[in-house]
């Protein structure tokens, strides 16, 4: 194993966060055990597709038995396991089993394909990969076969649901529980995915201490307690539905997590009624869809108290429609998997709720707004958001060069967001400096997509930018210069090429445009700003091709 580097908080900060009571010295494994002892028979996880309702005692016992089986297969503390599961109960069984051993889940999304999965497995030297047989019409066993052939460290593939094919069924792994050492509260709990703005996705090392603080801190702000019923609509591994306050926050509080098999109102509304859902979280395009569907629904949505909306900017007009349509309180959340999470407060004035993205969880979250020279701007002025605090990482996992750029010398994370802070301390997101497209809450690093397009033999150069989309907020447009002498290439061929290289579908450019040259800045660099403006003009005058 190569040496690992997970930058952490300097000792004086760690001491301060412990002394302040933010870091409680808990681990996920022990947390679940405690809840199971406190209220064994309360329902923890509802999986409507499987028809399962696991109590805290069930989940606790399953996690223990799976942990034992994983241990006897040689998976030990510090090992990495790529977890790519849809919203099914086994997701929680797997991650709590890994938490108990001290092995680290590496969270992947169901949308990821060969390119992303191979990279996660290789970069983390993963020893195991967990999938469901099929989901959304896609066969993950095929992806697992390719990954298994490509990645030498990968010793196990476990199939959590459906016919395991050539691999081992997760249900066969469980054994009688044994004793195990388990991690410490300041050990890493998992590697979370970054939205990213570079060619290679970055992995985010989160500890038990810091992440658990973000959970109970969120619970207090979102009024999540043991009576809460959280509907997990977005992909469960994503940081927003996982932790803001999400399913893990809800489990911390002793509440109930209901797994939603799809995001549409047709799927979600009946579940809200049946399970008495009190809180859920959506990205803006889904929030719009729900707001439009709610007035005409026959389902009783009156149990819903809070709708969190985050992941991308939610327009003020759309925000104003939430309460009239859904009868619940809107809570805007501006968060990032690297740490800092901001919420509007439930008792904030309506104007604050609809016009700001909230304020930080913790009194010890430090927020700086700076100019291009890292100098603080005047209060209320717009600038780059830098942050440091008790649940914001001090560096990405094994990425020293990138960390030197993404963090200041005194440990502030450069979020890449352009913001201003109001007199009440609420953050308003005004834009973005990082080279990223936010496609309805799915973050896409332009450079990653550009690299894939550049691999096409007929392509000389490529630039990927955001263009406005009425539904997603932004979608992607790829500007491509062909090699001289290369035959004609169609836009669809570029899209197919990228897809066939195994890139997640949401990263495939929505539109491809061929050009002879790129606009340049004064110093001769490609002007992405001009490209974005050009894309916006085309987008407003035509439909995507
Ligand atoms: O990554 C995000 O976009 C995000 C949004 C809301 C809340 C979060 O925790 C997030 O990580």
């Amino acid at each position: 194993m190569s040496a690992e580097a997970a930058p952490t908080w300097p000792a004086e900060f760690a001491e301060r966060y412990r002394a302040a009571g933010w870091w409680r010295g808990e681990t996920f494994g022990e947390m679940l055990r405690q809840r199971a002892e406190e209220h064994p028979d309360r329902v923890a996880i509802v999986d409507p597709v499987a028809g399962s309702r696991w109590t805290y005692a069930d989940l606790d016992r399953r996690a223990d038995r799976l942990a034992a089986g994983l241990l006897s297969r040689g998976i030990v503390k510090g090992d990495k396991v790529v977890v790519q599961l849809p919203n099914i109960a086994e997701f929680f069984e797997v991650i709590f089993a890994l938490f108990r051993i001290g092995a680290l889940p590496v969270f992947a999304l169901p949308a990821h394909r060969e390119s992303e999965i191979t990279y996660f497995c290789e970069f983390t030297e993963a020893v195991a990969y967990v999938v469901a047989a099929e989901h959304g019409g896609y066969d993950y066993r095929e992806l697992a076969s390719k990954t298994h052939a490509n990645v030498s460290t990968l010793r196990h593939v476990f199939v959590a649901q459906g016919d395991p094919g050539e691999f081992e069924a997760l249900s066969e792994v469980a054994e009688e529980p044994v004793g195990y050492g388990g991690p410490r509260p300041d050990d890493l709990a998992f590697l979370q995915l970054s939205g990213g703005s570079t060619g290679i996705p970055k992995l985010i090392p989160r500890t038990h201490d810091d992440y658990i603080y973000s959970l109970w801190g969120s619970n207090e702000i979102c009024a999540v307690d043991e009576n809460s019923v959280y509907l997990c609509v977005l992909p469960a591994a994503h940081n927003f539905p996982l932790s803001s306050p999400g399913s893990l926050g809800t489990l911390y509080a002793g509440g109930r997590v209901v797994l939603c098999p799809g995001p549409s109102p047709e799927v979600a509304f009946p579940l809200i009624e049946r399970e008495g859902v009190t809180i859920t979280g959506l990205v803006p395009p889904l929030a719009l869809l729900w707001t439009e569907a709610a007035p005409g629904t026959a389902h009783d949505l009156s149990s819903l108290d809070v709708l969190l909306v985050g992941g991308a900017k939610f327009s003020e007009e759309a925000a104003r429609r939430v309460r009239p349509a859904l009868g619940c309180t809107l809570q805007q959340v501006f968060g990032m998997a690297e740490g800092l999470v901001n919420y509007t407060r439930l008792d904030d004035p309506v104007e604050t709720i609809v016009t700001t993205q909230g304020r930080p969880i913790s009194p010890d979250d430090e927020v700086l707004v700076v100019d291009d020279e890292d100098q603080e701007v005047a209060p209320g002025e717009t600038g780059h958001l830098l942050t440091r605090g008790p649940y914001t990482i001090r560096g990405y996992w094994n990425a020293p060069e990138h960390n030197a750029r993404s963090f200041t010398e005194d440990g502030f994370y450069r979020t890449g967001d352009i913001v201003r802070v109001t007199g009440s301390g609420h953050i308003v997101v005004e834009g973005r400096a990082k080279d990223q497209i936010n496609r309805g809450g799915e973050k896409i690093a332009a450079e990653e997509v550009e690299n894939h397009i550049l691999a096409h033999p007929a392509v000389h150069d490529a630039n990927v930018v955001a263009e406005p989309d009425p539904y997603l907020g932004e979608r992607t447009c790829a500007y491509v210069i062909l090699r001289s002498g290369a035959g004609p290439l169609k836009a669809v061929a570029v899209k197919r090429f990228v897809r066939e290289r195994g890139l997640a579908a949401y990263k495939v450019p929505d539109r491809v445009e061929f050009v002879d040259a790129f606009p340049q800045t004064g110093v001769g660099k490609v002007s992405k700003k001009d490209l974005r403006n050009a894309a916006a003009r085309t987008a407003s005058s035509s439909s995507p091709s």
Side-chain angles (χ1 to χ4, degrees):
M1 263 259 245
S2 56
E4 289 186 9
T8 188
W9 293 265
E12 69 265 29
F13 282 87
E15 275 158 34
R16 194 168 99 210
Y17 297 152
R18 261 184 219 107
W22 310 140
W23 292 359
R24 291 179 166 175
E26 297 173 316
T27 64
F28 281 103
E30 288 163 11
M31 182 275 275
L32 176 60
R33 177 83 82 239
Q34 262 178 26
R35 298 300 172 273
E37 281 165 4
E38 287 157 9
H39 35 66
D41 299 327
R42 292 185 75 104
V43 174
I45 307 282
V46 178
D47 180 336
V49 178
S52 43
R53 305 178 79 78
W54 293 353
T55 64
Y56 278 88
D58 293 334
L59 179 59
D60 182 52
R61 180 161 173 75
R62 280 178 173 269
D64 254 354
R65 290 177 48 85
L66 182 56
L70 295 173
L71 274 173
S72 76
R73 279 159 186 74
I75 297 175
V76 297
K77 187 174 167 188
D79 280 347
K80 317 298 181 298
V81 176
V82 174
V83 179
Q84 185 184 32
L85 291 175
N87 290 1
I88 58 175
E90 287 81 0
F91 173 79
F92 296 95
E93 178 180 1
V94 169
I95 67 172
F96 277 99
L98 294 171
F99 291 153
R100 287 230 160 119
I101 300 173
L104 308 187
V106 180
F107 288 125
L109 298 173
H112 288 138
R113 293 294 179 261
E114 199 185 345
S115 170
E116 291 95 355
I117 298 296
T118 301
Y119 172 76
F120 299 148
C121 289
E122 281 179 344
F123 185 56
T124 65
E125 302 180 351
V127 299
Y129 173 38
V130 188
V131 294
E134 269 179 276
H135 175 70
Y138 183 75
D139 191 335
Y140 288 85
R141 292 162 300 193
E142 284 178 23
L143 180 55
S145 295
K146 289 186 199 160
T147 311
H148 196 234
N150 289 342
V151 183
S152 60
T153 55
L154 204 59
R155 287 188 268 118
H156 304 276
V157 173
F158 301 115
V159 179
Q161 198 182 60
D163 174 3
E166 64 185 287
F167 303 112
E168 191 172 12
L170 190 78
S171 55
E172 302 290 311
V173 177
E175 288 178 8
E176 272 317 296
V178 292
Y180 39 77
R184 300 187 331 189
D186 58 354
D187 281 335
L188 293 187
F190 54 82
L191 297 175
Q192 181 58 291
L193 292 179
S194 154
S197 55
T198 58
I200 295 167
K202 296 291 172 296
L203 295 176
I204 297 169
R206 301 291 300 254
T207 65
H208 295 263
D209 264 338
D210 90 76
Y211 209 69
I212 286 177
Y213 173 36
S214 81
L215 301 181
W216 68 258
S218 296
N219 286 348
E220 287 185 354
I221 293 165
C222 306
V224 165
D225 61 22
E226 72 276 14
N227 297 313
S228 296
V229 181
Y230 179 83
L231 186 67
C232 181
V233 175
L234 301 171
H238 189 283
N239 201 63
F240 174 16
L242 193 64
S243 69
S244 297
S247 20
L248 290 182
T250 303
L251 294 177
Y252 188 91
R256 177 179 305 180
V257 175
V258 178
L259 294 165
C260 203
S264 73
E266 291 70 32
V267 173
F269 287 3
L271 276 176
I272 293 176
E273 175 173 331
R274 192 185 89 192
E275 298 294 334
V277 168
T278 62
I279 178 167
T280 187
L282 298 175
V283 289
L286 290 176
L288 279 175
L289 201 65
W290 284 35
T291 319
E292 279 158 25
T297 185
H299 294 284
D300 178 3
L301 307 179
S302 61
S303 60
L304 197 61
D305 294 325
V306 175
L307 174 64
L308 291 142
V309 178
K313 181 118 183 183
F314 196 36
S315 79
E316 182 184 331
E317 299 75 64
R320 284 193 195 280
R321 292 205 291 269
V322 168
R323 178 178 282 286
L326 286 154
C328 63
T329 303
L330 167 66
Q331 202 164 20
Q332 292 211 46
V333 50
F334 164 47
M336 52 205 79
E338 287 82 355
L340 181 70
V341 180
N342 305 277
Y343 296 99
T344 56
R345 300 310 197 252
L346 294 173
D347 58 359
D348 273 342
V350 174
E351 287 310 300
T352 306
I353 291 177
V354 299
T355 60
T356 81
Q357 280 64 61
R359 55 187 174 86
I361 293 176
S362 176
D364 267 339
D365 280 322
E366 299 172 73
V367 164
L368 294 180
V369 183
V370 302
D371 62 20
D372 289 344
E373 274 73 52
D374 277 356
Q375 298 304 308
E376 268 193 89
V377 300
E381 295 293 304
T382 297
H384 301 273
L385 172 65
L386 310 185
T387 186
R388 186 169 80 168
Y391 60 94
T392 296
I393 57 164
R394 291 303 188 109
Y396 293 99
W397 192 77
N398 281 3
E401 283 161 34
H402 184 71
N403 287 340
R405 287 193 297 276
S406 294
F407 293 80
T408 66
E409 267 172 24
D410 41 11
F412 281 84
Y413 168 53
R414 300 182 187 277
T415 66
D417 296 299
I418 306 288
V419 304
R420 66 185 162 84
V421 178
T422 68
S424 58
H426 288 73
I427 292 177
V428 178
V429 180
E430 299 283 9
R432 172 180 65 228
K434 58 195 165 197
D435 194 6
Q436 187 184 73
I437 295 100
N438 189 333
R439 192 176 184 278
E442 304 207 87
K443 319 294 192 301
I444 302 166
E447 189 185 340
E448 185 183 3
V449 183
E450 288 160 3
N451 286 341
H452 282 279
I453 299 174
L454 285 169
H456 193 291
V459 169
H460 168 69
D461 203 356
N463 272 288
V464 172
V465 295
E467 65 182 21
D469 178 273
Y471 176 63
L472 294 166
E474 293 179 356
R475 64 180 177 229
T476 51
C477 177
Y479 283 93
V480 174
I481 300 177
L482 293 176
R483 274 185 205 286
S484 57
L489 191 63
K490 286 212 171 80
V492 285
V494 174
K495 296 185 195 183
R496 195 187 319 120
F497 178 76
V498 169
R499 193 174 299 113
E500 283 172 358
R501 284 176 60 82
L503 204 62
Y506 69 86
K507 298 180 190 168
V508 175
D510 293 292
R511 200 161 66 82
V512 178
E513 197 168 315
F514 298 101
V515 292
D516 295 328
F518 298 131
Q520 298 197 339
T521 65
V523 289
K525 291 201 291 184
V526 173
S527 170
K528 285 220 161 174
K529 188 162 163 255
D530 287 340
L531 281 176
R532 271 192 293 275
N533 290 340
R537 279 195 300 276
T538 320
S540 66
S541 63
S542 70
S543 54
S545 70

